[in-house]
C-alpha cells in the first residue's frame, strides 16, 4: 500500500480546499444578496417589491446557515492531527475496508488520489459513526452488508 501518511495529508488538503470553495461560494452569494437588497428600490408594485425583499432575506438566512456549517467544518479540520498514529479509528484516520476507503474528517464526499477513490466522511454521518473506534480486523454492519476494516 502507498504511504498512508502521505495519503492522509493529501486528503486533508482536499478537505481544506473543499471548505474554502464552499466558503467562497457562500460569501459570494451573501455579498450579491446584500447588494441586491440595498439597490432594490420601491416601485409602484409595492407587493412585488416586498415579496422580492422577503425572498432575498430568506436567501440571506439560508446562506448564513451554510456559513455556520462551513465554520464548523473548519473547526473539525483544525482538530485533526494527521501525524498522530492510532490503531483505533478516530478523527483524521484513514480507514481501508474491503468495500471502500474512508477518511474520517468532514463530509466532503469522494476524493480521488493517485487513481484511488477515498470518501471523506464526518464522524457524525452514519458510516462515520460506525467506523469510529474500530480496530484492525473489526467488522461493522452497514446498509445490510458487512464491512471489514483492514487497517
Amino acid at each position: 500500500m502507498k504511504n498512508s501518511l502521505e495519503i492522509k495529508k493529501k486528503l486533508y488538503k482536499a478537505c481544506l480546499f473543499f471548505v474554502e470553495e464552499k466558503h467562497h461560494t457562500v460569501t459570494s452569494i451573501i455579498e450579491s444578496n446584500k447588494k441586491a437588497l440595498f439597490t432594490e428600490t420601491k416601485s409602484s408594485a409595492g407587493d412585488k417589491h416586498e415579496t422580492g425583499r422577503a425572498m432575498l432575506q430568506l436567501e440571506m438566512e439560508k446562506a448564513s446557515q451554510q456559513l455556520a456549517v462551513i465554520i464548523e467544518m473548519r473547526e473539525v479540520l483544525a482538530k485533526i492531527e494527521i501525524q498522530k498514529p492510532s490503531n483505533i479509528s478516530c478523527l483524521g484516520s484513514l480507514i481501508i475496508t474491503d468495500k471502500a476507503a474512508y477518511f474520517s474528517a468532514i463530509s466532503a464526499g469522494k476524493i480521488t488520489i493517485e487513481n484511488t477513490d477515498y470518501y471523506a466522511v464526518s464522524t457524525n454521518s452514519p458510516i462515520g459513526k460506525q467506523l469510529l473506534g474500530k480496530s484492525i480486523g473489526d467488522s461493522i454492519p452497514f446498509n445490510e452488508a458487512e464491512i471489514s476494516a483492514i487497517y
Side-chain angles (χ1 to χ4, degrees), residues 79-151:
K79 293 177 186 176
I80 293 177
E81 297 177 38
I82 294 295
Q83 306 282 359
K84 181 182 170 186
S86 178
N87 291 329
I88 298 173
S89 65
C90 59
L91 185 64
S93 291
L94 176 61
I95 305 135
I96 310 296
T97 72
D98 58 346
K99 304 284 189 233
Y102 301 95
F103 179 56
S104 180
I106 61 170
S107 292
K110 182 169 77 169
I111 300 169
T112 303
I113 296 176
E114 299 173 13
N115 298 319
T116 302
D117 293 337
Y118 299 88
Y119 295 91
V121 297
S122 166
T123 55
N124 292 327
S125 69
I127 188 71
K129 287 178 184 177
Q130 289 281 347
L131 292 169
L132 203 58
K134 298 300 181 214
S135 301
I136 296 169
D138 286 350
S139 294
I140 60 167
F142 190 72
N143 284 347
E144 300 177 20
E146 192 78 11
I147 297 176
S148 299
I150 298 171
Y151 50 88

